[in-house]
Amino acid sequence: MLRVSSEGIILYTNNAGSHILNLLGCHVYQILPEPWLKMVDNALHNGRTITFYGEFTLHVYSFTFTPVKEKGYVNIYGLDVTQQRKRMEQELLHAQKLQAIGVMTTGIAHELNNMLAIIDGKIQMLMQENKGRKKLLNELRLIQSSIKDGAEIVRRMNKFTTEKEDREGFVAIDLREEIKNTIDLICPKCKEHSERKGITYTINLDGVKHVSCINGNPLGLREVLINIIYNALDSMPEGGTLSFSTREENGSVVLEISDTGIGMDEETQTKIFDPFFTTKEYGMGLGMSIVYGTVNRHGGKITVQSKKGKGSTFILSFPIVKGSQGITKNYAPGKGMSDKKGG
Ligand SMILES: Nc1ncnc2c1ncn2[C@@H]1O[C@H](COP(=O)(O)OP(=O)(O)O)[C@@H](O)[C@H]1O
Ligand SMILES: [Mg+2]
């Protein structure tokens, strides 16, 4: 905090303020630099608070100039907003990348569709012309079925990129139930995998408490959970614990998913939501970018906390549906689900 007279003389500073003065290259009882003087003048003249952002080497500050007209000075409050700024910039970057990938895929899907349609037409023609030739017909049918597979992939690609703000299929969802269902769905596969490798995964649901419903697409949310869970299992090649917890915080439902796996360094954490970013030999690098897009479409947020060798925690938050009390079909309200699952 700094206090500056109408002439721009620095009357007072606290510790944090002296740091700012250092950065500005001036001292108490001296005059503020020119652009700041203008703002002091402005704030005093108009009697209005002015806010601006200043960048010094590695830090971004938000400065608020609050005029105290009767005393003829201005109080300047500085707040280090570097972290918030970084997060916002990263979010913007992810959004832009997703948008770019959307444009790209729509283009590719369109071209592929045209090509597949031509091949399909020609195949049908050949089939008509060669009705008596059984062997050839069989081969053509094989090609036709591959074309169908191709068309399906194109359809899914298109769906992924055009599913923007489509909230039509949204219903009230009890995350607790969704977690349980998803685990039931993929458990057999995990079990088979862990038995084959002779390792143990423990799934800890102790922290999964009763929370309000959120609005969402059940399939989309399931895909989110599956992607996070598969990554977590990948990160624990020697086995480990996957923990879930839910809570309510500031009008949102917060879901945390933690693993005891290999963890991530800083660089991986900043790139994790980028399309095609992968550190795996056979990875596609699309899972987390899909997760990011889906969480965003749900009006939610996702962040990751991790340390190399110390496991990772994904923190997801979704706005609560007003007036919802959660659907508690399978569980007693207020209790955590404590069915630990090995396997
Ligand atoms: N739970 C996790 N623990 C460690 N690293 C992870 C975890 N989840 C994601 N990652 C990192 O993020 C990268 C991107 O993940 P993802 O988009 O799902 O693509 P893929 O799984 O195909 O590599 C992974 O390659 C991995 O490096
Ligand atoms: Mg993945």
Side-chain angles (χ1 to χ4, degrees):
M1 187 254 189
L2 303 171
R3 177 166 298 154
V4 181
S5 75
S6 55
E7 292 87 36
I9 300 167
I10 304 148
L11 303 171
Y12 164 82
T13 170
N14 63 2
N15 273 343
S18 348
H19 179 61
I20 300 288
L21 287 182
N22 269 339
L23 293 170
L24 286 173
C26 54
H27 297 281
V28 74
Y29 306 126
Q30 286 186 345
I31 293 185
L32 275 179
E34 182 61 34
W36 289 57
L37 280 186
K38 269 201 183 128
M39 266 177 293
V40 167
D41 202 44
N42 225 324
L44 270 175
H45 256 94
N46 301 326
R48 254 191 269 133
T49 302
I50 299 174
T51 303
F52 92 103
Y53 290 95
E55 251 179 277
F56 298 101
T57 46
L58 294 173
H59 285 257
V60 184
Y61 293 88
S62 148
F63 293 107
T64 311
F65 289 61
T66 310
V68 185
K69 243 185 158 170
E70 59 281 10
K71 301 260 166 90
Y73 57 65
V74 172
N75 289 333
I76 304 174
Y77 302 95
L79 197 68
D80 190 335
V81 291
T82 316
Q83 286 308 321
Q84 283 108 299
R85 185 52 92 80
K86 255 197 200 150
R87 203 169 340 125
M88 266 164 62
E89 276 170 4
Q90 258 172 24
E91 278 172 10
L92 194 67
L93 201 67
H94 291 314
Q96 281 168 346
K97 280 186 182 160
L98 276 182
Q99 201 179 11
I101 208 174
V103 172
M104 200 174 81
T105 4
T106 314
I108 296 173
H110 181 75
E111 295 290 322
L112 280 179
N113 242 346
N114 286 347
M115 282 187 245
L116 289 174
I118 292 171
I119 301 173
D120 195 45
K122 293 283 175 205
I123 297 278
Q124 280 182 25
M125 210 180 74
L126 281 173
M127 283 172 135
Q128 283 290 335
E129 286 170 0
N130 295 281
K131 269 186 178 149
R133 301 173 64 183
K134 246 187 163 171
K135 197 159 174 261
L136 179 68
L137 279 181
N138 269 344
E139 299 292 336
L140 290 175
R141 263 188 217 109
L142 261 179
I143 301 178
Q144 215 176 21
S145 108
S146 291
I147 295 173
K148 264 211 187 98
D149 289 348
E152 174 59 21
I153 291 174
V154 171
R155 197 190 60 77
R156 289 217 307 258
M157 244 159 78
N158 239 344
K159 186 165 169 274
F160 167 58
T161 50
T162 51
E163 222 177 43
K164 280 180 202 91
E165 292 296 328
D166 184 15
R167 290 176 154 257
E168 257 176 31
F170 275 26
V171 292
I173 292 176
D174 182 356
L175 262 187
R176 188 159 70 150
E177 200 162 332
E178 204 49 52
I179 294 166
K180 178 83 168 44
N181 290 341
T182 307
I183 289 170
D184 286 347
L185 189 80
I186 61 176
C187 236
K189 208 175 155 194
C190 293
K191 211 167 173 166
E192 183 230 14
H193 175 81
S194 56
E195 270 165 13
R196 193 156 28 89
K197 292 202 151 184
I199 54 178
T200 311
Y201 295 126
T202 307
I203 296 182
N204 183 349
L205 298 173
D206 286 353
V208 180
K209 308 285 186 226
H210 171 73
V211 281
S212 302
C213 280
I214 61 163
N215 233 334
N217 175 328
L219 281 179
L221 284 177
R222 184 163 297 176
E223 193 170 30
V224 164
L225 293 175
I226 289 178
N227 271 306
I228 295 177
I229 295 171
Y230 277 161
N231 279 341
L233 297 180
D234 281 347
S235 81
M236 302 188 287
E238 316 276 308
T241 303
L242 180 63
S243 312
F244 293 80
S245 78
T246 54
R247 61 175 190 275
E248 284 184 18
E249 209 175 85
N250 307 326
S252 293
V253 169
V254 180
L255 163 65
E256 288 197 14
I257 306 175
S258 305
D259 62 62
T260 54
I262 54 172
M264 285 170 255
D265 56 23
E266 288 269 332
E267 200 192 339
T268 305
Q269 284 176 59
T270 59
K271 290 187 177 157
I272 184 170
F273 299 115
D274 287 359
F276 303 116
F277 171 77
T278 182
T279 55
K280 299 173 192 167
E281 198 177 349
Y282 298 105
M284 286 271 284
L286 282 177
M288 291 316 289
S289 74
I290 292 176
V291 165
Y292 187 85
T294 308
V295 171
N296 246 334
R297 273 199 299 281
H298 281 75
K301 288 231 146 40
I302 178 166
T303 52
V304 60
Q305 286 174 357
S306 184
K307 259 211 171 98
K308 207 151 174 69
K310 297 262 188 255
S312 311
T313 300
F314 288 88
I315 303 158
L316 293 86
S317 73
F318 299 96
I320 291 174
V321 182
K322 292 222 165 61
S324 86
Q325 276 304 304
I327 307 159
T328 50
K329 264 186 273 177
N330 296 341
Y331 319 109
K335 269 194 182 168
M337 295 191 296
S338 50
D339 44 341
K340 280 212 176 99
K341 280 194 185 181

